[in-house]
Amino acid sequence: MIRTRAVLATTVGCLAASACGVASSQPGRAAPPATSAPISASSQSTGVAAPEPTGATPVTSPPAAVSPTPTGPPEFSAKVSRVAREQLKYSWRPGCPIPVNDLRLVTMTYWGFDDKPHTGELVVHEDVTDDITSIFRRLYDWRWPIYRMQLVDVYKADDFASIEADNTSAFNCRPVEGTSSWSKHAYGRAIDINPRENPYVYADGSVSHKNARGFDKRPLRAPGVINAGDRVVRAFEQKGWEWGGSWAGAKDYQHFAKGGS
């Protein structure tokens, strides 16, 4: 009797998947420095040998189907921790309306203009940390891009310099421009998002930052731009935050504040 041995071999390859690129509306604009890297792919191979038939007629079973498991960007993550006085060397000082103990550092994932995940930092009041992590989780899941997210102390609490860098920031113990009243930023209950793409526009239509020209009118369809009634505005409104783009007269398209102003 002729005995037949059947050998089956399957090789499964996994291919890394990466998100589609999101182009900035300004050609030649440098991408932000990456603070996290895309996940690399891995591959595996398995060999499965069919059992030796016991009868005269060989019996061969087809190999089991194996579905590939492509990898992708990491899930959103956020960590809330106490902030040290040394971390607020420029943005907090004696006489500020709230103590350092009322503030929290939120370290979290955001999606960049380079179509990659990054890790950023915001300082906010402890009462709004749940709002912030919930809203920014949604922005990340939407792959809605943020150019940069650093503490304003990186810019020595200079709001103008932070805006020039297109930096998304929150706490800064400063008054409302041109007044002696404390800004909501001084309480850690306001945030400015992509200030280049979402500039402060004076009542006469002018802007203070040259790099924001071309972003001063709404509606505008471009990466990182906030428009009236869009999903970014709705996400903040659902948590009780008001948008500066809805103000009468001057418009502050970058600005969201808990409870308004």
Side-chain angles (χ1 to χ4, degrees):
M1 178 182 295
I2 300 175
R3 307 183 64 173
T4 305
R5 183 180 305 273
V7 179
L8 301 177
T10 61
T11 304
V12 179
C14 295
L15 301 176
S18 58
C20 296
V22 179
S24 171
S25 60
Q26 299 297 307
R29 185 179 183 196
T35 54
S36 60
I39 297 177
S40 61
S42 62
S43 61
Q44 61 179 2
S45 298
T46 57
V48 180
E52 183 177 337
T54 56
T57 304
V59 178
T60 303
S61 299
V66 180
S67 299
T69 55
T71 59
E75 293 184 359
F76 175 86
S77 65
K79 177 184 177 182
V80 177
S81 57
R82 289 187 175 275
V83 60
R85 172 68 181 91
E86 295 74 28
Q87 293 173 285
L88 308 178
K89 181 178 179 181
Y90 300 101
S91 62
W92 188 92
R93 62 185 182 277
C96 288
I98 61 171
V100 172
N101 287 342
D102 286 355
L103 297 169
R104 295 292 182 269
L105 175 66
V106 182
T107 304
M108 60 186 169
T109 319
Y110 70 92
W111 195 253
F113 273 76
D114 59 356
D115 219 25
K116 296 177 182 179
H118 299 269
T119 299
E121 294 181 322
L122 291 176
V123 169
V124 298
H125 194 282
E126 62 176 338
D127 291 347
V128 300
T129 55
D130 288 346
D131 290 355
I132 291 299
T133 55
S134 175
I135 292 167
F136 278 84
R137 178 187 296 275
R138 297 179 71 180
L139 299 187
Y140 182 80
D141 289 344
W142 293 334
R143 300 297 187 255
W144 194 85
I146 294 171
Y147 188 71
R148 194 189 310 273
M149 189 189 294
Q150 297 176 315
L151 302 188
V152 74
D153 285 78
V154 172
Y155 307 92
K156 296 185 177 181
D158 185 333
D159 189 55
F160 191 92
S162 180
I163 291 174
E164 283 286 294
D166 203 6
N167 181 50
T168 293
S169 65
F171 173 76
N172 192 1
C173 185
R174 61 176 178 82
V176 176
E177 183 181 355
T179 77
S180 59
S181 301
W182 288 116
S183 164
K184 275 291 184 77
H185 288 280
Y187 296 89
R189 291 191 172 98
I191 182 171
D192 292 338
I193 302 177
N194 290 345
R196 173 180 180 263
E197 288 76 19
N198 303 291
Y200 183 96
V201 181
Y202 294 94
D204 63 3
S206 63
V207 295
S208 297
H209 300 266
K210 293 180 180 179
N211 65 0
R213 292 174 183 171
F215 293 96
D216 54 338
K217 292 181 172 57
R218 294 295 185 276
L220 177 64
R221 303 299 171 189
V225 168
I226 302 167
N227 289 283
D230 69 11
R231 58 186 178 178
V232 178
V233 173
R234 293 196 304 271
F236 275 94
E237 287 179 342
Q238 288 168 5
K239 298 292 184 180
W241 294 64
E242 295 182 15
W243 181 47
S246 62
W247 295 352
K251 306 289 186 183
D252 199 355
Y253 294 120
Q254 65 200 261
H255 182 81
F256 289 93
K258 183 76 171 187
S261 298

